[in-house]
Amino acid sequence: MNDISQLSKWNRDLSRAISALGSDQFFPSLIEAIRGQVHIDYPQIWLYHRDLPPQVLYHEIPAPALSSQVDTYLDGPYREDPFYQASMNQPRSKFYRLSRITAGKLRESQYYRDYYADTGTVDEAIYLSRLRAGNVINLCMMRLPQQGEFSEQEYETLYLLAEPVSELIKSHSEHDDFAVTHLIQPGINHQIDLAFRTFGASLLSPREKDVLELMLRGYGTDTSADRLGIALETVRRHRKSIYRKLDVSSQTDLFSLFINALTCLGEAAGDDPLRVYMAPAR
């Protein structure tokens, strides 16, 4: 495809994404537009906030890979993710590539040993949008071995698309339905620590509550065991009990339940917001 045809396709595809702003079709439309220019695998949209667990807003990850790609990531390694760290530390760019942000030393990192080596990914890049109140959205694009790493031409293409992609994500986030449902609003940050300390207290034992708080703060099983001074197997047993009592089956479900229960902090008045959230509607 020549340059004019490629530009024409981008304009058509981007127009579809623009028309989908504020709707559930925005993220898939935007990803389709990017895919029309460069092949990407396992696209994911992540919402980051310094004081809360990450949320995956949208993904196209096949079911067999979902656990290794998302649940394992949420079980602590996300704190070591160079993209997460860049997002939380005053990012200056709207586009990052993993091999460049790690200066070619990814394989030497704890993040690689704990998580990335098992993803089957050979390259990754993100578009980054800084929002208000410390919220950051990343559009994550992976490459699997079948396609190989991004070529320099593909990298340059992705780089050139960064400005409109980042700004469109920001515009989408400002639609009322999206902002109310997903974003931490200014002024609520001081309540987040209270939520960590009270969420699930009405349903769990004190020790299970300790384990849950560390899970929500992004600490993995090993670190939780060290911090609590208990055996690794004891932490695993508590985690299984927490999942059962809270009726969730994955780290993703747990974090979603926590985020949803935040809306009940005021009504809970210092008590467990989950009890209010799960109470039958009157």
Side-chain angles (χ1 to χ4, degrees), residues 16 75 85 133 180:
R16 294 191 188 99
D75 193 23
Q85 293 176 347
V180 169

Side-chain angles (χ1 to χ4, degrees), residues 3-181:
D3 291 345
I4 296 298
S5 298
Q6 198 76 352
L7 179 60
S8 178
K9 178 173 174 53
W10 169 249
N11 288 338
R12 290 195 306 271
D13 291 344
L14 191 64
S15 295
R16 294 191 188 99
I18 292 171
S19 67
L21 279 166
S23 76
D24 291 341
Q25 290 304 306
F26 171 70
F27 286 136
S29 297
L30 183 60
I31 288 168
E32 188 63 26
I34 297 168
R35 269 191 169 136
Q37 303 299 305
V38 175
H39 180 92
I40 59 174
D41 298 303
Y42 293 1
Q44 306 162 41
I45 309 290
W46 284 91
L47 172 62
Y48 293 129
H49 189 281
R50 185 182 306 278
D51 299 316
L52 289 172
Q55 288 179 267
V56 58
L57 302 177
Y58 178 82
H59 69 81
E60 295 180 11
I61 305 172
L66 195 56
S67 178
S68 63
Q69 289 284 339
V70 175
D71 284 335
T72 302
Y73 178 74
L74 289 173
D75 193 23
Y78 76 83
R79 288 181 170 274
E80 303 302 321
D81 180 0
F83 290 145
Y84 171 81
Q85 293 176 347
S87 299
M88 295 295 96
N89 290 297
Q90 301 297 317
R92 298 181 178 180
S93 179
K94 296 178 180 179
F95 178 70
Y96 289 96
R97 185 178 180 182
L98 190 58
S99 60
R100 298 201 176 191
I101 200 174
T102 59
K105 297 181 178 180
L106 174 65
R107 291 177 179 270
E108 303 171 20
S109 68
Q110 190 68 38
Y111 176 67
Y112 183 83
R113 292 189 291 271
D114 288 348
Y115 169 71
Y116 207 81
D118 295 327
T119 63
T121 306
V122 297
D123 205 356
E124 187 173 356
I126 63 162
Y127 291 119
L128 184 152
S129 290
R130 294 180 64 186
L131 314 179
R132 292 176 296 174
N135 296 288
V136 176
I137 291 179
N138 285 355
L139 192 164
C140 175
M141 302 164 287
M142 293 182 168
R143 286 284 283 256
L144 298 177
Q146 302 92 304
Q147 300 296 329
E149 298 180 4
F150 293 112
S151 68
E152 282 304 307
Q153 182 177 352
E154 289 173 323
Y155 171 81
E156 290 298 328
T157 298
L158 290 172
Y159 180 82
L160 290 173
L161 305 182
E163 193 70 29
V165 169
S166 178
E167 290 303 314
L168 274 178
I169 292 173
K170 184 176 180 181
S171 295
H172 178 68
S173 76
E174 293 170 350
H175 282 73
D176 288 344
D177 288 347
F178 183 90
V180 169
T181 303

Side-chain angles (χ1 to χ4, degrees), residues 108-276:
E108 303 171 20
S109 68
Q110 190 68 38
Y111 176 67
Y112 183 83
R113 292 189 291 271
D114 288 348
Y115 169 71
Y116 207 81
D118 295 327
T119 63
T121 306
V122 297
D123 205 356
E124 187 173 356
I126 63 162
Y127 291 119
L128 184 152
S129 290
R130 294 180 64 186
L131 314 179
R132 292 176 296 174
N135 296 288
V136 176
I137 291 179
N138 285 355
L139 192 164
C140 175
M141 302 164 287
M142 293 182 168
R143 286 284 283 256
L144 298 177
Q146 302 92 304
Q147 300 296 329
E149 298 180 4
F150 293 112
S151 68
E152 282 304 307
Q153 182 177 352
E154 289 173 323
Y155 171 81
E156 290 298 328
T157 298
L158 290 172
Y159 180 82
L160 290 173
L161 305 182
E163 193 70 29
V165 169
S166 178
E167 290 303 314
L168 274 178
I169 292 173
K170 184 176 180 181
S171 295
H172 178 68
S173 76
E174 293 170 350
H175 282 73
D176 288 344
D177 288 347
F178 183 90
V180 169
T181 303
H182 297 293
L183 300 186
I184 298 303
Q185 304 300 318
I188 198 176
N189 298 58
H190 66 283
Q191 300 182 47
I192 292 173
D193 188 61
L194 175 64
F196 279 131
R197 289 186 282 108
T198 57
F199 175 79
S202 64
L203 298 173
L204 306 176
S205 71
R207 182 54 89 189
E208 288 170 344
K209 183 66 192 67
D210 292 340
V211 172
L212 174 62
E213 183 173 348
L214 290 176
M215 291 172 70
L216 293 172
R217 292 185 182 275
Y219 295 105
T221 308
D222 293 351
T223 306
S224 296
D226 289 341
R227 282 177 167 257
L228 297 174
I230 58 179
L232 194 61
E233 191 54 42
T234 303
V235 174
R236 293 194 179 108
R237 188 170 64 250
H238 284 318
R239 285 185 168 217
K240 289 180 181 178
S241 179
I242 290 166
Y243 275 33
R244 177 177 53 80
K245 289 182 178 181
L246 300 188
D247 194 26
V248 296
S249 58
S250 68
Q251 199 89 339
T252 307
D253 293 341
L254 175 63
F255 285 178
S256 294
L257 183 62
F258 175 71
I259 298 296
N260 290 336
L262 281 176
T263 60
C264 300
L265 269 178
E267 190 176 349
D271 199 357
D272 182 3
L274 183 60
R275 174 155 46 191
V276 178

